Amino acid sequence: MSERFDRGQAIMNQVLGAGHAEAVRERIGAISPDFADYIVAAGFGEVYARPGLSLPQRQLLNVGVLTAIGGAEPQLGNHIRGALRVGVTATEIVEAIFHVALYAGHPRAVSAFRVATEVFAELGVTADAGGPGQH
């Protein structure tokens, strides 16, 4: 293993849970071990390890980007779990999805809210539903 992979594995497991890097190697590595290693080493060992953003900030960005692109609901669920694991609040996740609706459209946000609702229920998490329109 390379130092970059080891660093990525540690960060990935911190954000997404113990054994997550190993699961990526099992699922994707069965047909493309190089791509599985790339996800861990480059994604987490290089990009996540950069000093410019905290892990909570990176996870909130992931929630926004995955909401905006759509069609990545399993990954969105994983990153919502990861965001909560590293200290992002459920309310911040809801607000990020709400904000993305303005730029990426309501259908993408509705799909993301569906995923967030499932993850919140699974983990017993609630979000503050307040906002300017709430009285």
Side-chain angles (χ1 to χ4, degrees):
M1 289 299 143
S2 72
E3 178 182 324
R4 190 171 76 144
F5 181 89
D6 293 342
R7 182 175 55 243
Q9 182 176 25
I11 294 171
M12 181 180 251
N13 287 339
Q14 177 185 354
V15 173
L16 300 176
H20 202 85
E22 294 81 2
V24 166
R25 288 188 108 194
E26 279 182 31
R27 285 191 312 268
I28 298 170
I31 60 171
S32 182
D34 289 343
F35 187 69
D37 288 351
Y38 167 77
I39 290 171
V40 176
F44 287 83
E46 289 291 325
V47 177
Y48 270 73
R50 292 176 56 83
L53 296 171
S54 67
L55 289 178
Q57 289 170 324
R58 290 181 189 284
Q59 283 305 107
L60 200 54
L61 280 167
N62 289 344
V63 169
V65 169
L66 291 169
T67 296
I69 65 172
E73 285 75 15
Q75 292 81 9
L76 176 59
N78 284 338
H79 285 284
I80 289 172
R81 284 181 199 87
L84 292 166
R85 182 175 280 111
V86 298
V88 177
T89 68
T91 301
E92 290 169 327
I93 291 167
V94 167
E95 286 302 316
I97 294 169
F98 197 123
H99 191 82
V100 169
L102 183 63
Y103 295 93
H106 296 102
R108 299 278 167 88
V110 168
S111 292
F113 278 129
R114 190 172 295 124
V115 173
T117 299
E118 291 169 5
V119 171
F120 293 171
E122 167 193 321
L123 299 177
V125 173
T126 58
D128 176 11
Q134 302 296 312
H135 300 292

